[in-house]
Amino acid sequence: MASSLTKDSAGTAGSEKTFFGHPRGLATLFMTEMWERFSYYGMRALLPLYLIAPDGLHMNPATATAIYSVYVSLVYLLAMPGGWFGDRVWGPRKTVAVAGTVIMIGHLALALPMQGTFFAGLGLVAIGSGLLKSNISTMVGHLYNGPDDPRRDGGFTVFYMGINVGAFAAPLVIGTIGESVNWHLGFALAAVGMGLGLTQYLLGTRHLNERSLVVPKPLSAAERTDTLRKGMIWLAIAAVFYIVTVVTGVYTLNWILVPITIAGLVIPVMVLTRIKRDKELSAAEQSKMSGYIWFFVAAAMFWMIYDQGGSTLAIFADNSADNSILGWDFPVSWYQSVNPVLIMALAPVFAAFWLALNRRGKEPSTIVKFSSGLVLVGASFFLFLMPLTIATDGHKAAAMWLVAIYFVQTVAELTLSPVGLSVTTKMAPAKYASQMMGVWFLAVTAGDCTTGLLSIAGVELNGTGIVALQAALAAAAGVAIFMYRNKVKQLMGDVH
């Protein structure tokens, strides 16, 4: 795909090369995102399996799920400070270069066969991913002549294809090597992937817009000093606290997991409350924020179930599924390639479907799409009850049950996720326009932290009771939003 460079046919710069009719810099950012996602999703596919494997860390499933959930929640939680660094400290271009380096070092730490470096590596990958996530999307926007550039939406579509290409290939390559050859070699391949992405990014930065070098709102000298001082104080407090817990012999993994999961639930509430109470917002903006909270809570419940596709479902597949098709066995991590390949296949279908309904004046409202996504993700866990019931007394559930679950979840994602991104930008108060995408990511954090807390509390997430409860809650939430759609629509004001 990256080689499909053609001469600019738009006539804006006769000899300028383009990437599928888009600015050449899109190829650089596409490949960077593809390789970063390759490293991220490859490592993520291995993570829960390595944590429970006898030749891995040999943890129980509840602890493995808690670690996985906390890790994923951190990636999205750190997207907000990552965006802040791009806006106030380094600028987007430098921030992405630093992020790629941190991610690569993190994967190399995971490749070392020591538990201490493994958890340090997870932390580094989460920090790097948070730094990269917001800033690389910002640079895609910089390639175009403002929001009215007719190529802009198409450019983001091409860019997001990079995510799914990387996510699809990663489990097939990294997962196979990690499971079949050596866990740490798999993690090392993730580092190689990020290294390739970083190399071509640094070589291709000359094609990026000069705005990506600019720090939009740089810290003043006084702000820089104050920020550094406060950061060092909090770092010192954390260091002293954990040194004391280790020296006194009371330290366990929960001393890390519990504070992060609580923070992942408290911070979204604090952020939404701060915005909602801002007296500078107009009455219309206040009303929209009240309506947005409905979507936020619903999204958190959605991601709580959806992201268990990489933990609860993966652990079930490892222990209780017949991972073969027509007698051909395949690695458990390959299930993680089902969602991205379905996204690539179904996204154009959904886009065409909504457009066709819109032409006839029958396209469902944002609220109806959102409620449908919740009902569908609940249905995926009702479907999960079937293989859970089959896999008893030594029986194994067929692989196609899991594929069917991932299919329903993908349809739910396509119904809810793009709509959530769109409604976030539409309902954002003008004062918080650049921050609201980070607020949307906090819904993922809240959902994953809820899963983490359940796991820390010892809840067996592969039990039929808890699976049925989650399914029922999601379906009920979807029905509730549909029932109160007129009230929510009123709060949304002029947003449709």
Side-chain angles (χ1 to χ4, degrees):
M1 183 174 281
S3 62
S4 299
L5 297 172
T6 61
K7 297 293 183 183
D8 191 349
S9 58
T12 55
S15 62
E16 180 187 350
K17 288 186 176 181
T18 65
F19 181 65
F20 291 105
H22 294 273
R24 173 65 178 83
L26 185 62
T28 297
L29 298 177
F30 174 95
M31 295 298 290
T32 304
E33 182 73 359
M34 186 192 76
W35 283 115
E36 188 274 330
R37 293 290 89 181
F38 175 84
S39 68
Y40 173 77
Y41 282 105
M43 184 276 284
R44 213 173 87 161
L46 286 182
L47 180 57
L49 305 177
Y50 172 72
L51 292 174
I52 64 173
D55 58 340
L57 295 186
H58 205 191
M59 295 178 171
N60 62 62
T63 303
T65 301
I67 293 170
Y68 177 92
S69 301
V70 166
Y71 165 70
V72 175
S73 71
L74 263 181
V75 169
Y76 289 92
L77 180 63
L78 293 171
M80 284 195 78
W84 180 87
F85 266 91
D87 287 341
R88 310 285 323 260
V89 184
W90 292 323
R93 190 183 298 190
K94 183 177 179 180
T95 303
V96 168
V98 172
T101 304
V102 172
I103 291 169
M104 185 174 65
I105 294 171
H107 286 303
L108 289 172
L110 292 172
L112 299 175
M114 292 176 284
Q115 186 167 321
T117 55
F118 180 83
F119 286 110
L122 281 182
L124 288 170
V125 174
I127 291 169
S129 299
L131 286 169
L132 187 139
K133 200 165 189 65
S134 301
N135 290 286
I136 196 167
S137 296
T138 299
M139 287 195 292
V140 174
H142 287 166
L143 297 172
Y144 300 95
N145 299 319
D148 296 327
D149 190 319
R151 301 174 299 170
R152 185 184 178 92
D153 287 351
F156 272 97
T157 300
V158 173
F159 173 71
Y160 286 121
M161 284 296 289
I163 295 174
N164 289 296
V165 170
F168 168 70
L172 304 181
V173 179
I174 294 174
T176 301
I177 297 298
E179 284 190 70
S180 306
V181 181
N182 181 276
W183 296 109
H184 297 285
L185 183 58
F187 294 130
L189 276 179
V192 171
M194 189 65 252
L196 290 171
L198 181 61
T199 300
Q200 69 81 41
Y201 173 75
L202 295 174
L203 292 174
T205 50
R206 67 185 184 277
H207 300 296
L208 302 178
N209 191 287
E210 292 300 308
R211 280 191 293 164
S212 65
L213 287 169
V214 177
V215 181
K217 191 180 177 183
L219 292 172
S220 66
E223 287 176 318
R224 189 178 293 270
T225 301
D226 185 57
T227 301
L228 184 61
R229 179 178 58 82
K230 289 179 179 177
M232 293 305 293
I233 289 172
W234 281 108
L235 183 62
I237 290 172
V240 170
F241 176 80
Y242 284 106
I243 287 171
V244 169
T245 60
V246 171
V247 170
T248 56
V250 299
Y251 175 81
T252 65
L253 195 57
N254 282 349
W255 283 97
I256 292 285
L257 297 178
V258 172
I260 293 175
T261 51
I262 292 174
L265 293 171
V266 171
I267 290 174
V269 174
M270 290 175 60
V271 170
L272 287 170
T273 302
R274 178 174 62 86
I275 297 174
K276 186 72 178 68
R277 289 183 175 178
D278 190 334
K279 295 181 179 179
E280 293 183 14
L281 301 188
S282 66
E285 289 176 326
Q286 287 281 2
S287 178
K288 288 176 184 176
M289 281 306 301
S290 296
Y292 184 73
I293 289 171
W294 281 75
F295 292 108
F296 184 92
V297 173
M301 183 170 293
F302 174 88
W303 294 115
M304 179 185 74
I305 293 177
Y306 180 89
D307 275 348
Q308 288 183 60
S311 55
T312 304
L313 285 175
I315 291 171
F316 172 81
D318 191 48
N319 294 329
S320 306
D322 176 17
N323 303 307
S324 65
I325 296 178
L326 300 176
W328 174 68
D329 296 332
F330 58 88
V332 175
S333 54
W334 282 23
Y335 285 112
Q336 302 310 307
S337 288
V338 174
N339 171 258
V341 76
L342 287 174
I343 288 285
M344 289 188 284
L346 295 177
V349 175
F350 268 72
F353 180 62
W354 297 139
L355 191 60
L357 289 178
N358 182 267
R359 290 196 190 103
R360 300 174 186 174
K362 296 182 178 180
E363 182 180 4
S365 67
T366 295
I367 301 168
V368 172
K369 290 178 183 177
F370 229 81
S371 62
S372 299
L374 270 174
V375 171
L376 283 168
V377 84
S380 76
F381 260 34
F382 279 126
L383 184 60
F384 187 22
L385 293 173
M386 292 300 294
L388 282 173
T389 304
I390 292 169
T392 55
D393 301 324
H395 296 293
K396 296 279 187 178
M400 291 310 295
W401 282 112
L402 292 168
V403 173
I405 294 168
Y406 286 118
F407 174 81
V408 175
Q409 290 189 345
T410 301
V411 173
E413 180 189 4
L414 288 169
T415 305
L416 181 142
S417 185
V419 175
L421 290 168
S422 177
V423 81
T424 297
T425 59
K426 290 177 182 177
M427 297 178 71
K431 181 178 177 181
Y432 297 99
S434 62
Q435 298 179 40
M436 282 299 287
M437 199 54 68
V439 174
W440 169 253
F441 289 144
L442 288 180
V444 185
T445 297
D448 284 314
C449 283
T450 302
T451 301
L453 277 180
L454 289 171
S455 300
I456 292 168
V459 176
E460 176 52 65
L461 292 175
N462 270 324
T464 54
I466 189 65
V467 168
L469 177 61
Q470 291 179 83
L473 286 174
V479 171
I481 289 178
F482 182 79
M483 295 290 289
Y484 285 89
R485 64 189 181 281
N486 291 330
K487 178 180 179 180
V488 179
K489 192 179 296 183
Q490 186 179 5
L491 291 170
M492 292 171 69
D494 58 356
V495 174
H496 303 291

